[in-house]
Amino acid sequence: MKLRRALLYTPGDSRPKIEKALSLGADSICMDMEDGTAYNRKEKARKTISLALKEFNFGASEKLIRINGIGSGLEEDDLTETVIHHPDGVVLPKVESFEQLEWLSERIEEMELSQGWDLNKIRVLAVIESAKGFINLREIATHPRLDALIFGAEDYAASIGATRTRGGLEILYARSKLVMHAAVNDLQAIDVVFVNFKDSVNLKIDALLGAQMGFTGKQIVHPNQVLPVQEAFSPSNAEIDYAQRLLSAFKIAEAEGAGAIDFEGKMIDMPLVKSARLVIERATLAGKIE
Ligand code: COA
Ligand code: MG
C-alpha cells in the first residue's frame, strides 16, 4: 500500500496551486472539489482537475481527487468528469454508511470495465466526520476498496456540538476510535488537519501526537506542512536503531527458549517485539532503511 504520511489538499479550481503541489514531495496530492472549492467554482474545479490529471507529471506523489459527498447532488458529475483520467484514488467525504462506499465503488468499477483498466486499482479513502459516520464505522471500515480512513475533526466537532480547543480533548474519543477501526481492517489512519498553517511549533506537536496514537499520516493544507509532517510520521534514526538492537537481542533469546528478556534494563516480550517490527516496516516504507 502506498505510504501516505503527508496528504496535501489543494483546491481543485486552482491550476497554479496544483502545479505548485507537484514540486513539494508530498506523499499524496488531493485535488479537492469539496470544501476547498467554492460553490460557484465546482465546474471549474472538475475541468482544472481533468486537465491536471491529463497533463501533469505527479512524479512519486499519489494523485487523489476529492469529490463532494453523497447526497450533495454534485458527486456524480464530480466523479464521471474526473475519474475518466484515472487518478490513483478517490477521497469520499462525509461517509456515513457502507452503502455510500458501495455506490462509489460500483461507479468506479463500471469505469474500470468500460475502459479496460485493471480492477480495484483506483482506491478509496473515506473521510469520517460525523457522529453517524462513527456509529457506523464498524461496517464502513470493512469495504474492500478502502485503503484508508481519514478523520475530519472540524466537521465532526460541529456534528456533535463540540467546541474545538487547542488540547483537543473534545475529539479524542473519535480520533482514537478511528485508529482502532483502521487497525482491525488493515487500513491506514490519516489524522486531522492542523489548520493554523503558520504555526509550525504546534503543528509538530500535533503531528507527533497523531503518530504516537497510531495514525500513519496526516492531512495537510499548506506547503510548509509537508516536511514536518513527513518527519513526524517516519521513525527517527534513534527509534530505528533501538528497534534493530531489540530485534537482534530477542532473536538470540528466542533461539535459547526465552519468551521475555532483560533488554538494556527493560523487560521485553512479544508486544514490544511487534512494535519494533512495525518501526522497521515503516522505516523501510519511508526509504530510511533497505
Ligand atoms: N497546495 C499547493 N500550493 C499551495 C497550497 C496548497 N494547499 N497552499 C498554498 N500554496 C502555495 C501558494 O499558492 C503560494 O504559492 P506561490 O508562492 O507560488 O505564490 C505558496 O504556496 C505560499 O502560500 P501562502 O501565500 O503562504 O498561502 P496562501 O495565502 O496562498 O494560501 C490557503 C493559504 C489556506 C488559502 C491555502 O494554503 C489553501 O488553499 N490550502 C488548501 C485548502 C483546502 O484545500 N482545504 C480543503 C481541505 S481541508
Ligand atoms: Mg470535512
Side-chain angles (χ1 to χ4, degrees):
M1 210 188 285
K2 161 88 190 165
L3 188 68
R4 302 182 178 96
R5 294 166 302 181
L7 188 158
L8 172 70
Y9 288 106
T10 193
D13 62 338
S14 167
R15 187 176 168 97
K17 280 204 171 89
I18 297 174
E19 211 162 358
K20 174 108 188 169
L22 305 177
S23 67
L24 301 172
D27 301 281
S28 304
I29 297 171
C30 182
M31 295 172 280
D32 189 23
M33 288 171 268
E34 200 218 10
D35 292 347
T37 296
Y39 202 78
N40 59 4
R41 302 271 293 179
K42 302 289 185 189
E43 188 53 41
K44 165 98 178 151
R46 290 176 192 144
K47 294 213 162 70
T48 308
I49 292 172
S50 296
L51 280 177
L53 287 169
K54 242 184 351 196
E55 294 171 3
F56 290 155
N57 178 2
F58 283 70
S61 300
E62 180 184 42
K63 305 176 262 193
L64 299 177
I65 57 158
R66 181 163 78 169
I67 64 172
N68 283 277
I70 304 217
S72 64
L74 298 163
E75 66 276 25
E76 184 115 38
D77 289 346
D78 286 350
L79 194 66
T80 45
E81 284 189 34
T82 55
V83 174
I84 192 72
H85 303 290
H86 205 305
D88 298 316
V90 178
V91 175
L92 185 63
K94 305 197 167 55
V95 176
E96 295 194 322
S97 71
F98 183 91
E99 289 69 32
Q100 293 179 335
L101 288 180
E102 201 54 11
W103 178 90
L104 174 61
S105 185
E106 278 167 11
R107 265 155 204 74
I108 296 174
E109 191 175 307
E110 280 164 19
M111 194 91 77
E112 289 170 336
L113 289 169
S114 70
Q115 299 298 313
W117 296 337
D118 289 345
L119 287 179
N120 288 317
K121 241 185 138 183
I122 299 181
R123 307 302 299 166
V124 167
L125 297 83
V127 191
I128 310 299
E129 47 191 339
S130 67
K132 192 167 175 195
F134 276 97
I135 294 292
N136 292 333
L137 194 47
R138 183 194 283 260
E139 294 81 43
I140 291 170
T142 60
H143 197 282
R145 203 184 276 269
L146 267 186
D147 257 18
L149 298 175
I150 300 177
F151 182 28
E154 309 311 320
D155 281 285
Y156 169 72
S159 97
I160 61 164
T163 305
R164 292 286 278 120
T165 65
R166 173 166 288 202
L169 270 182
E170 70 286 354
I171 60 164
L172 180 60
Y173 169 62
R175 200 176 183 184
S176 199
K177 179 166 173 160
L178 185 124
V179 172
M180 208 187 284
H181 284 267
V184 97
N185 291 286
D186 257 327
L187 302 173
Q188 295 172 341
I190 303 182
D191 202 11
V192 298
V193 174
F194 187 75
V195 291
N196 302 327
F197 62 85
K198 293 190 173 147
D199 178 355
S200 63
V201 173
N202 284 301
L203 167 70
K204 280 185 200 157
I205 293 172
D206 192 56
L208 268 180
L209 173 63
Q212 287 161 353
M213 287 178 71
F215 282 93
T216 54
K218 190 170 180 66
Q219 304 164 84
I220 59 172
V221 290
H222 191 274
N224 291 346
Q225 296 184 319
V226 176
L227 282 178
V229 164
Q230 285 179 331
E231 202 181 305
F233 287 93
S234 308
S236 68
N237 293 339
E239 283 168 322
I240 297 168
D241 191 52
Y242 182 81
Q244 284 171 331
R245 289 201 315 276
L246 187 154
L247 290 173
S248 9
F250 193 78
K251 205 166 161 194
I252 295 166
E254 215 181 11
E256 290 166 358
I261 59 167
D262 167 2
F263 173 68
E264 299 177 5
K266 217 171 135 183
M267 191 283 288
I268 298 295
D269 61 1
M270 216 47 203
L272 290 158
V273 171
K274 282 187 191 155
S275 292
R277 285 188 186 136
L278 200 57
V279 168
I280 299 298
E281 194 186 310
R282 288 187 182 170
T284 310
L285 281 172
K288 291 191 84 167
I289 51 173
E290 303 227 316

